Amino acid sequence: MNLPILVAAIVFWLFAWAFNEWLVRQRFQSEIANRVAHFAVPVLFGITLLVLWEGIVRGFAVPSVLLPAPSMIWQRLINSLPTLMADFRQTFLKAVLTGYALGCGLGFVVAILIDRSPFLQKGLLPLGNFVSALPVIGVAPIMVMWFGFDWQSKVAVVVIMTFFPMLVNTIAGLAASSHMERDLMRTYAASWWQTLIKLRLPAAWPFIFNALKINSTLALIGAIVAEFFGTPIVGMGFRISTEVGRMNVDMVWAEIAVAAVAGSAFYGVVALIERAVTFWHPSIRGGGA
Amino acid sequence: MREESFVRDKLLPVGTVVALLIVVWYIAVVFLNAPFERDTAARAGTEISFSQIVHNTMAQERPVLPAPHQVIAEIWDTTVNKPITSKRSLVYHAWITLSATLLGFGIGGVLGILLAIGIVHNRAMDRSLMPWVIASQTIPILAVAPMIIVVLNAIGISGLLPKALISTYLSFFPVVVGMVKGLRSPEAIQLDLMHTYNASQAQTFWKLRWPSSMPYLFTSLKVAVAISLVGAIVGELPTGAVAGLGARLLAGSYYGQTVQIWSALFMAAALAAVLVMIVGFAHTAVLKRMGAKP
């Protein structure tokens, strides 16, 4: 047991905590300082977590098989960049992005197609909601059997996982414009297409982006878990499951770090596009917090 | 506006779509399984008629896509005809998965509620923790599942708890996010009223915040229970297919037992539906007792 490191980590934690408590109570004069403070609190919390993690692992000499220290994971990440890059390309660029585009696109198109048929909508909406709650991930072995070990089967899993949230949200979004607004379009003698493009789609964007954001996480999960069921010798899910078997836990953590960064970045990009497209929405204009 | 009718607005459309899906399924069965039949016929040196193909594709032992009646027969066979304690019984496997799901869901729910209470009452916690709670949602947390299982196994913890931990991890985030929203849902005017009553913080919490958070709580609990089942199933994959629905999936994919995969899948779907329904019933019951309009 390495007491000084442990004590140092705990002292750092207490100081950071106290500093955060102080920081959130401050009102600075300048707008910039306020913004920096707003940003600093969660960042400091994250750093504290890492320091505490490092301190506990080193302080108690936790075996690295159980929980490697962040510094060790970082080392591993830097040393095996080519492997991680190949995995990233296989899982994220090939499987996730293709499947995401196909699944979301299909959900959107189907929602538009059945828009004119209330009968089909009434039939598909409860089913879509139902399927969204199911452990869809279970189709992964079937897809692997049908489409082979390579990334095509992962694309299929991602398509199935992302299709239903998109369908349900788009249908809900297309119904979001009010009767008044639709009546107004009618008085303008707008065609169905004009109403769709000028009124109903813009009103549906918040719902559609909600689905896009949910799907960005689902797609990555789907691709990774599908790789547990069989894959060529490359890919994030494959790496995680094999390195766990070989007890290279630091490599697993490095892969998870890559997945986390990729997932957050993916989500962040979608959220940024959302801000640009739905700039008029109250949640973005910043009315209430 | 016409009166909402159950048959016209629910049963008929949903029934039609389901019937359509089943028809599409049967057609797909014929097309996907036909190559195998043609192969066998060609190998045997015989011609095979189309009607013969259709007949055979419905009853293959290891079809590419099993027909719906095969799946139902398999489910019936493995639930009713086998004793529940048998390892071949689907009920046994479902129970294993269900117990991990429920344990994880329970821990996750309680933890989520406690954390939400902390976040609502402490500014520092709110500002430092909330961004991370949201960020963690964007991380493919299921990727951690195999590691948790194997590592805990290495230090001698196995069985129910590791799987339940994964479920906990997954189910805990929706609850936190929903509960924070719910506990903040009372309007300023209502909080002011509590203030004029000189209510303590605990009183405000129990009499105002807690009751008004109930709809949010149950909505997120529905998400949480569904995702916690996913967690339990994925948690069963790396243990080497011992028991549980996830293990049935994995074993099925190893041995090409498609009928077994599909029946496990249907069982998982039924389980998810029942769990979500139970939470839904609890939702309506609680809201009714609170005097909400139906």
Side-chain angles (χ1 to χ4, degrees):
Chain A
M1 195 159 139
N2 196 335
L3 208 58
I5 291 181
L6 192 63
V7 170
I10 289 174
V11 166
F12 181 86
W13 170 47
L14 290 176
F15 264 106
W17 188 1
F19 184 70
N20 262 352
E21 286 279 0
W22 173 80
L23 205 57
V24 293
R25 283 174 175 70
Q26 296 307 305
R27 282 277 162 272
F28 295 104
Q29 290 294 316
S30 76
E31 187 55 33
I32 298 170
N34 263 330
R35 208 170 269 187
V36 169
H38 200 89
F39 202 66
V41 174
V43 170
L44 193 63
F45 179 77
I47 294 173
T48 315
L49 268 190
L50 284 182
V51 169
L52 210 58
W53 178 354
E54 182 92 32
I56 287 174
V57 168
R58 289 195 177 206
F60 288 111
V62 178
S64 65
V65 177
L66 218 57
L67 186 70
S71 57
M72 199 174 154
I73 296 165
W74 178 248
Q75 200 91 49
R76 188 61 189 238
L77 193 115
I78 296 297
N79 285 339
S80 40
L81 268 184
T83 325
L84 292 174
M85 198 58 215
D87 292 343
F88 177 76
R89 201 174 299 127
Q90 168 82 12
T91 304
F92 193 81
L93 297 185
K94 284 185 187 163
V96 172
L97 286 186
T98 322
Y100 181 76
L102 276 178
C104 293
L106 263 178
F108 183 73
V109 168
V110 170
I112 300 266
L113 282 181
I114 64 167
D115 179 58
R116 288 194 177 190
S117 158
F119 183 75
L120 275 181
Q121 277 184 23
K122 274 183 204 149
L124 270 176
L125 206 55
L127 272 184
N129 275 324
F130 174 67
V131 174
S132 296
L134 296 186
V136 184
I137 201 93
V139 298
I142 297 163
M143 292 300 132
V144 170
M145 228 173 254
W146 285 3
F147 296 100
F149 279 164
D150 212 349
W151 55 275
Q152 287 86 348
S153 57
K154 281 78 200 173
V155 169
V157 174
V158 174
V159 167
I160 295 175
M161 281 186 81
T162 52
F163 175 78
F164 287 101
M166 191 68 188
L167 178 73
V168 170
N169 274 290
T170 310
I171 291 178
L174 287 176
S177 57
S178 71
H179 267 287
M180 280 256 256
E181 293 158 340
R182 262 176 280 174
D183 285 348
L184 181 66
M185 290 309 266
R186 273 185 69 83
T187 62
Y188 290 159
S191 69
W192 181 80
W193 277 106
Q194 283 171 324
T195 317
L196 182 71
I197 288 169
K198 302 234 155 106
L199 168 67
R200 298 176 63 212
L201 266 188
W205 281 135
F207 291 84
I208 293 173
F209 272 104
N210 188 21
L212 285 175
K213 285 198 278 191
I214 297 173
N215 280 345
S216 71
T217 325
L218 280 181
L220 203 52
I221 290 181
I224 290 180
V225 174
E227 285 182 358
F228 294 164
F229 285 98
T231 161
I233 53 163
V234 63
M236 291 166 140
F238 164 79
R239 194 74 56 204
I240 289 171
S241 53
T242 47
E243 297 294 334
V244 159
R246 291 162 59 190
M247 283 293 172
N248 283 336
V249 180
D250 50 345
M251 185 65 188
V252 177
W253 277 101
E255 196 76 54
I256 287 169
V258 172
V261 170
S264 306
F266 194 10
Y267 187 91
V269 168
V270 175
L272 275 183
I273 298 173
E274 179 186 20
R275 286 185 82 90
V277 174
T278 61
F279 57 89
W280 46 268
H281 197 262
S283 69
I284 287 161
R285 262 188 345 221
Chain B
M1 270 286 162
R2 286 188 299 175
E3 189 89 2
E4 180 101 338
S5 124
F6 175 74
V7 173
R8 197 184 57 230
D9 290 322
K10 286 262 160 63
L11 195 65
L12 209 60
V14 176
T16 315
V17 172
V18 169
L20 215 69
L21 279 181
I22 292 177
V23 170
V24 169
W25 188 343
Y26 268 112
I27 295 172
V29 165
V30 173
F31 274 95
L32 283 168
N33 295 341
F36 175 79
E37 290 302 328
R38 283 207 197 90
D39 267 12
T40 354
R43 232 173 284 140
T46 51
E47 279 292 312
I48 188 162
S49 69
F50 183 71
S51 62
Q52 192 65 36
I53 287 182
V54 170
H55 180 257
N56 284 355
T57 48
M58 296 294 158
Q60 284 181 6
E61 189 154 333
R62 290 181 184 182
V64 180
L65 177 67
H69 65 258
Q70 276 180 298
V71 177
I72 291 168
E74 165 86 4
I75 292 178
W76 179 260
D77 188 42
T78 46
T79 49
V80 180
N81 290 350
K82 297 269 189 313
I84 291 176
T85 47
S86 153
K87 284 223 163 169
R88 302 181 68 100
S89 163
L90 205 54
V91 178
Y92 165 80
H93 290 287
W95 167 246
I96 301 246
T97 305
L98 183 66
S99 51
T101 306
L102 288 182
L103 184 61
F105 174 65
I107 305 175
V110 171
L111 247 170
I113 292 171
L114 288 180
L115 204 67
I117 293 172
I119 285 177
V120 168
H121 284 100
N122 183 329
R123 259 184 85 80
M125 245 176 119
D126 171 30
R127 291 272 288 275
S128 51
L129 216 57
M130 215 40 201
W132 289 101
V133 169
I134 292 169
S136 67
Q137 293 239 37
T138 68
I139 298 168
I141 229 66
L142 273 183
V144 193
M147 193 175 53
I148 296 177
I149 300 281
V150 172
V151 164
L152 286 184
N153 212 11
I155 58 170
I157 302 174
S158 62
L160 203 59
L161 195 64
K163 285 189 280 176
L165 275 182
I166 294 166
S167 296
T168 305
Y169 213 102
L170 285 171
S171 58
F172 136 84
F173 290 112
V175 176
V176 174
V177 175
M179 260 321 251
V180 167
K181 224 180 202 169
L183 290 174
R184 289 221 175 107
S185 64
E187 287 167 35
I189 203 169
Q190 295 167 318
L191 287 168
D192 283 348
L193 182 66
M194 292 309 268
H195 210 72
T196 60
Y197 289 160
N198 193 23
S200 70
Q201 212 171 27
Q203 282 171 324
T204 312
F205 179 78
W206 286 116
K207 305 221 171 231
L208 175 61
R209 283 190 191 273
W210 181 255
S212 51
S213 72
M214 279 304 116
Y216 295 85
L217 175 66
F218 279 104
T219 310
S220 37
L221 280 185
K222 269 186 224 166
V223 179
V225 79
I227 202 167
S228 134
L229 181 65
V230 174
I233 289 177
V234 173
E236 281 158 357
L237 297 181
T239 48
V242 186
L245 290 176
R248 292 284 281 188
L249 285 177
L250 196 64
S253 84
Y254 278 165
Y255 303 117
Q257 300 281 3
T258 36
V259 184
Q260 183 187 326
I261 297 181
W262 279 96
S263 59
L265 210 56
F266 271 57
M267 197 67 189
L271 213 56
V274 169
L275 286 174
V276 172
M277 253 162 63
I278 290 173
V279 177
F281 281 136
H283 187 181
T284 15
V286 167
L287 286 197
K288 210 176 246 170
R289 264 200 59 106
M290 280 169 49
K293 286 190 200 106

